[in-house]
Amino acid sequence: MLVFLQHNVAHLGIVTGLCLAEAATTHLPLFLSGFLLLTAVAASIATALAEILGGALAISMLTGMPVIPAALFFFDPFGCYGNCTGADYVGAHVGEGSGTIVCRSAFFAGIASTMTAGMAGGTICAGIFGEVYNIKDYHSWHGVALTYVLAVVVICFMTDPFKGLVYSQIVLSVQLPLTVFTQIYLTSSPKVMGVYANTKLQRTGLSLIALIVTILNIFLLIDVLS
């Protein structure tokens, strides 16, 4: 379902030449675009937090050392107490050597996703000021730095990394519907898209997908909080 939403927001960029943040700033009232984009920045920070934690856990599994981003996580996730690593644990259950491959894959995936989260934060901050993302630009690189710094600051106050991952997903589940409905509104507006605005059928289909995604996120939120 999310593929259709990604295609839809790409449609916005192709037609208008604007990213979602720029389009929201340009075509929505200031108070509304400001609120939406600030929540999007929060989602970028939550994403960066989750990916940094994921990469740290991968390092812990590979080395057997405690997870210490910002000298924080002194724990052994597999109860080995220094006698084995998470990679050994995975390898013992899946096959020799496979544990190292899995953990290294998780580490590099964490790096890639952390970079994406930072770029997202930079893009949103640039969009708030009606600018295109450019890492050499003041607003863009400050957005990237803000995303990473606040994520690490939050991590420094955590005592349980797994709960940190859960809380980050709560933030994302609350914010995602706001982004989804915003992009559908913009791509369905003739004022924004001209003759390339979504048809009634497309709008109905996208709205149905957005509703399903929202309901699923509500159920996730209720399940976590309960």
Side-chain angles (χ1 to χ4, degrees), residues 77-98:
F78 294 98
C80 296
Y81 299 100
N83 296 319
C84 68
T85 67
D88 295 329
Y89 182 91
V90 175
H93 288 77
V94 180
E96 185 177 354
S98 60

mmCIF file of all heavy atoms in Angstrom, residues 77-98:
data_model
loop_
_atom_site.group_PDB
_atom_site.id
_atom_site.type_symbol
_atom_site.label_atom_id
_atom_site.label_comp_id
_atom_site.label_asym_id
_atom_site.label_seq_id
_atom_site.Cartn_x
_atom_site.Cartn_y
_atom_site.Cartn_z
ATOM 1 N N PRO A 77 22.337 -8.158 25.709
ATOM 2 C CA PRO A 77 21.004 -8.489 25.223
ATOM 3 C C PRO A 77 20.712 -9.978 25.171
ATOM 4 O O PRO A 77 19.570 -10.379 25.110
ATOM 5 C CB PRO A 77 20.976 -7.864 23.817
ATOM 6 C CG PRO A 77 22.410 -7.764 23.422
ATOM 7 C CD PRO A 77 23.163 -7.502 24.685
ATOM 8 N N PHE A 78 21.765 -10.821 25.224
ATOM 9 C CA PHE A 78 21.510 -12.253 25.104
ATOM 10 C C PHE A 78 21.867 -13.023 26.385
ATOM 11 O O PHE A 78 21.890 -14.245 26.394
ATOM 12 C CB PHE A 78 22.299 -12.833 23.922
ATOM 13 C CG PHE A 78 21.823 -12.306 22.611
ATOM 14 C CD1 PHE A 78 22.488 -11.262 22.002
ATOM 15 C CD2 PHE A 78 20.681 -12.800 22.006
ATOM 16 C CE1 PHE A 78 22.044 -10.747 20.793
ATOM 17 C CE2 PHE A 78 20.226 -12.298 20.802
ATOM 18 C CZ PHE A 78 20.910 -11.261 20.195
ATOM 19 N N GLY A 79 22.175 -12.283 27.455
ATOM 20 C CA GLY A 79 22.474 -12.958 28.712
ATOM 21 C C GLY A 79 23.762 -13.746 28.674
ATOM 22 O O GLY A 79 23.937 -14.697 29.437
ATOM 23 N N CYS A 80 24.700 -13.384 27.782
ATOM 24 C CA CYS A 80 25.949 -14.144 27.651
ATOM 25 C C CYS A 80 27.013 -13.655 28.623
ATOM 26 O O CYS A 80 27.967 -14.364 28.907
ATOM 27 C CB CYS A 80 26.491 -14.018 26.219
ATOM 28 S SG CYS A 80 25.405 -14.738 24.982
ATOM 29 N N TYR A 81 26.865 -12.400 29.079
ATOM 30 C CA TYR A 81 27.798 -11.839 30.053
ATOM 31 C C TYR A 81 29.246 -11.991 29.617
ATOM 32 O O TYR A 81 30.123 -12.386 30.371
ATOM 33 C CB TYR A 81 27.586 -12.480 31.427
ATOM 34 C CG TYR A 81 26.213 -12.236 31.953
ATOM 35 C CD1 TYR A 81 25.229 -13.224 31.859
ATOM 36 C CD2 TYR A 81 25.864 -10.996 32.507
ATOM 37 C CE1 TYR A 81 23.941 -12.983 32.329
ATOM 38 C CE2 TYR A 81 24.575 -10.761 32.961
ATOM 39 C CZ TYR A 81 23.628 -11.754 32.873
ATOM 40 O OH TYR A 81 22.360 -11.506 33.330
ATOM 41 N N GLY A 82 29.488 -11.656 28.347
ATOM 42 C CA GLY A 82 30.858 -11.623 27.849
ATOM 43 C C GLY A 82 31.372 -12.952 27.348
ATOM 44 O O GLY A 82 32.468 -13.029 26.809
ATOM 45 N N ASN A 83 30.617 -14.038 27.513
ATOM 46 C CA ASN A 83 31.084 -15.347 27.086
ATOM 47 C C ASN A 83 30.778 -15.645 25.623
ATOM 48 O O ASN A 83 31.324 -16.578 25.051
ATOM 49 C CB ASN A 83 30.442 -16.436 27.968
ATOM 50 C CG ASN A 83 30.885 -16.303 29.409
ATOM 51 O OD1 ASN A 83 32.049 -16.029 29.681
ATOM 52 N ND2 ASN A 83 29.945 -16.467 30.336
ATOM 53 N N CYS A 84 29.870 -14.888 25.032
ATOM 54 C CA CYS A 84 29.561 -15.061 23.621
ATOM 55 C C CYS A 84 29.033 -13.746 23.099
ATOM 56 O O CYS A 84 28.803 -12.817 23.855
ATOM 57 C CB CYS A 84 28.535 -16.177 23.401
ATOM 58 S SG CYS A 84 26.884 -15.768 24.040
ATOM 59 N N THR A 85 28.854 -13.669 21.792
ATOM 60 C CA THR A 85 28.293 -12.474 21.181
ATOM 61 C C THR A 85 26.925 -12.793 20.610
ATOM 62 O O THR A 85 26.547 -13.969 20.466
ATOM 63 C CB THR A 85 29.197 -11.950 20.051
ATOM 64 O OG1 THR A 85 29.191 -12.913 18.986
ATOM 65 C CG2 THR A 85 30.623 -11.727 20.537
ATOM 66 N N GLY A 86 26.213 -11.737 20.266
ATOM 67 C CA GLY A 86 24.919 -11.937 19.617
ATOM 68 C C GLY A 86 25.078 -12.687 18.308
ATOM 69 O O GLY A 86 24.217 -13.480 17.921
ATOM 70 N N ALA A 87 26.199 -12.426 17.616
ATOM 71 C CA ALA A 87 26.459 -13.143 16.360
ATOM 72 C C ALA A 87 26.608 -14.636 16.621
ATOM 73 O O ALA A 87 26.133 -15.472 15.840
ATOM 74 C CB ALA A 87 27.718 -12.582 15.698
ATOM 75 N N ASP A 88 27.271 -14.989 17.741
ATOM 76 C CA ASP A 88 27.391 -16.407 18.103
ATOM 77 C C ASP A 88 26.020 -17.013 18.368
ATOM 78 O O ASP A 88 25.736 -18.151 17.986
ATOM 79 C CB ASP A 88 28.259 -16.558 19.365
ATOM 80 C CG ASP A 88 29.696 -16.124 19.131
ATOM 81 O OD1 ASP A 88 30.173 -16.278 17.999
ATOM 82 O OD2 ASP A 88 30.320 -15.636 20.090
ATOM 83 N N TYR A 89 25.179 -16.250 19.035
ATOM 84 C CA TYR A 89 23.834 -16.721 19.377
ATOM 85 C C TYR A 89 23.033 -17.004 18.104
ATOM 86 O O TYR A 89 22.409 -18.064 17.962
ATOM 87 C CB TYR A 89 23.139 -15.667 20.225
ATOM 88 C CG TYR A 89 21.755 -16.054 20.687
ATOM 89 C CD1 TYR A 89 21.569 -16.694 21.904
ATOM 90 C CD2 TYR A 89 20.634 -15.765 19.912
ATOM 91 C CE1 TYR A 89 20.304 -17.044 22.346
ATOM 92 C CE2 TYR A 89 19.369 -16.107 20.343
ATOM 93 C CZ TYR A 89 19.207 -16.745 21.558
ATOM 94 O OH TYR A 89 17.955 -17.085 21.972
ATOM 95 N N VAL A 90 23.071 -16.025 17.168
ATOM 96 C CA VAL A 90 22.348 -16.212 15.912
ATOM 97 C C VAL A 90 22.931 -17.376 15.132
ATOM 98 O O VAL A 90 22.215 -18.224 14.587
ATOM 99 C CB VAL A 90 22.399 -14.922 15.061
ATOM 100 C CG1 VAL A 90 21.753 -15.158 13.692
ATOM 101 C CG2 VAL A 90 21.683 -13.785 15.784
ATOM 102 N N GLY A 91 24.266 -17.447 15.076
ATOM 103 C CA GLY A 91 24.920 -18.520 14.333
ATOM 104 C C GLY A 91 24.582 -19.888 14.876
ATOM 105 O O GLY A 91 24.425 -20.849 14.119
ATOM 106 N N ALA A 92 24.470 -20.003 16.214
ATOM 107 C CA ALA A 92 24.155 -21.291 16.829
ATOM 108 C C ALA A 92 22.764 -21.774 16.451
ATOM 109 O O ALA A 92 22.498 -22.977 16.419
ATOM 110 C CB ALA A 92 24.264 -21.173 18.344
ATOM 111 N N HIS A 93 21.865 -20.854 16.124
ATOM 112 C CA HIS A 93 20.491 -21.226 15.799
ATOM 113 C C HIS A 93 20.220 -21.282 14.302
ATOM 114 O O HIS A 93 19.278 -21.948 13.872
ATOM 115 C CB HIS A 93 19.512 -20.241 16.458
ATOM 116 C CG HIS A 93 19.422 -20.397 17.940
ATOM 117 N ND1 HIS A 93 20.396 -19.917 18.797
ATOM 118 C CD2 HIS A 93 18.484 -20.996 18.739
ATOM 119 C CE1 HIS A 93 20.052 -20.213 20.047
ATOM 120 N NE2 HIS A 93 18.904 -20.855 20.037
ATOM 121 N N VAL A 94 21.036 -20.578 13.516
ATOM 122 C CA VAL A 94 20.778 -20.510 12.071
ATOM 123 C C VAL A 94 21.834 -21.243 11.264
ATOM 124 O O VAL A 94 21.530 -21.900 10.277
ATOM 125 C CB VAL A 94 20.681 -19.032 11.604
ATOM 126 C CG1 VAL A 94 20.411 -18.963 10.108
ATOM 127 C CG2 VAL A 94 19.607 -18.300 12.386
ATOM 128 N N GLY A 95 23.084 -21.146 11.692
ATOM 129 C CA GLY A 95 24.160 -21.790 10.952
ATOM 130 C C GLY A 95 25.457 -21.046 11.155
ATOM 131 O O GLY A 95 25.469 -19.824 11.365
ATOM 132 N N GLU A 96 26.572 -21.752 11.106
ATOM 133 C CA GLU A 96 27.869 -21.151 11.358
ATOM 134 C C GLU A 96 28.163 -20.026 10.361
ATOM 135 O O GLU A 96 28.012 -20.208 9.148
ATOM 136 C CB GLU A 96 28.965 -22.223 11.261
ATOM 137 C CG GLU A 96 30.342 -21.702 11.631
ATOM 138 C CD GLU A 96 31.388 -22.806 11.602
ATOM 139 O OE1 GLU A 96 31.003 -23.971 11.400
ATOM 140 O OE2 GLU A 96 32.579 -22.487 11.786
ATOM 141 N N GLY A 97 28.593 -18.897 10.845
ATOM 142 C CA GLY A 97 28.920 -17.755 9.989
ATOM 143 C C GLY A 97 27.736 -16.867 9.676
ATOM 144 O O GLY A 97 27.913 -15.701 9.310
ATOM 145 N N SER A 98 26.531 -17.413 9.788
ATOM 146 C CA SER A 98 25.352 -16.634 9.427
ATOM 147 C C SER A 98 25.118 -15.492 10.409
ATOM 148 O O SER A 98 24.626 -14.424 10.037
ATOM 149 C CB SER A 98 24.114 -17.531 9.364
ATOM 150 O OG SER A 98 23.866 -18.138 10.617
#
